Amino acid sequence: VQLQASGGGLVPTGGSLRLSCAASGFSFRNYAIGWFRQAPGKEREGVACIRRDSNKKFIAESVKGRFTISSDNAKRTVYLEMNNLKPEDTAVYYCGLDPSAWCGLPYDYSGQGTQVTVSS
């Protein structure tokens, strides 16, 4: 399983970014892909997750109303739209996959992350 996260960058407070997670190398019929983040000195935090079959979505309370998760199943790509970014959103963002469609840490598979930095 390969998971490639991209789209991170440096934005000012209030800015927006769209992260992409391209998944490949598997044949699971159903699965969940989620985003989690880790800031220096802090524990990993689940941010959002989406289940392939049901399209059911989960969003962490800390980002609800600002972040949106979506997917393009044909491309096996999951997106995280992040709006109204705050300095506390600064972290490395990772995507993970669970072949039993469980949304939650830890994911069975994850890839390299993408850095998101929000300047104050």
Side-chain angles (χ1 to χ4, degrees):
V1 177
Q2 290 83 45
L3 297 163
Q4 182 65 51
S6 61
L10 172 64
V11 295
T13 297
S16 299
L17 281 173
R18 187 194 198 203
L19 306 184
S20 298
C21 175
S24 62
F26 62 94
S27 58
F28 308 124
R29 192 188 74 80
N30 191 24
Y31 52 87
I33 291 181
W35 289 95
F36 60 98
R37 64 188 181 184
Q38 186 157 27
K42 294 186 178 180
E43 292 188 357
R44 287 180 306 172
E45 177 189 13
V47 175
C49 182
I50 186 167
R51 291 176 174 159
R52 186 198 180 279
D53 270 11
S54 64
N55 207 41
K56 188 171 180 63
K57 303 173 185 179
F58 301 88
I59 301 289
E61 285 296 323
S62 59
V63 303
K64 194 167 288 185
R66 300 187 297 121
F67 290 14
T68 304
I69 189 169
S70 62
S71 66
D72 182 332
N73 288 335
K75 295 181 179 179
R76 288 188 168 182
T77 299
V78 171
Y79 305 98
L80 184 68
E81 188 77 34
M82 307 187 295
N83 298 310
N84 191 21
L85 283 160
K86 304 176 181 181
E88 51 264 42
D89 295 318
T90 295
V92 179
Y93 284 70
Y94 302 86
C95 56
L97 181 148
D98 189 293
S100 61
W102 168 255
C103 276
L105 294 170
Y107 290 96
D108 286 13
Y109 305 93
S110 60
Q112 291 186 331
T114 184
Q115 176 72 46
V116 172
T117 303
V118 185
S119 61
S120 56

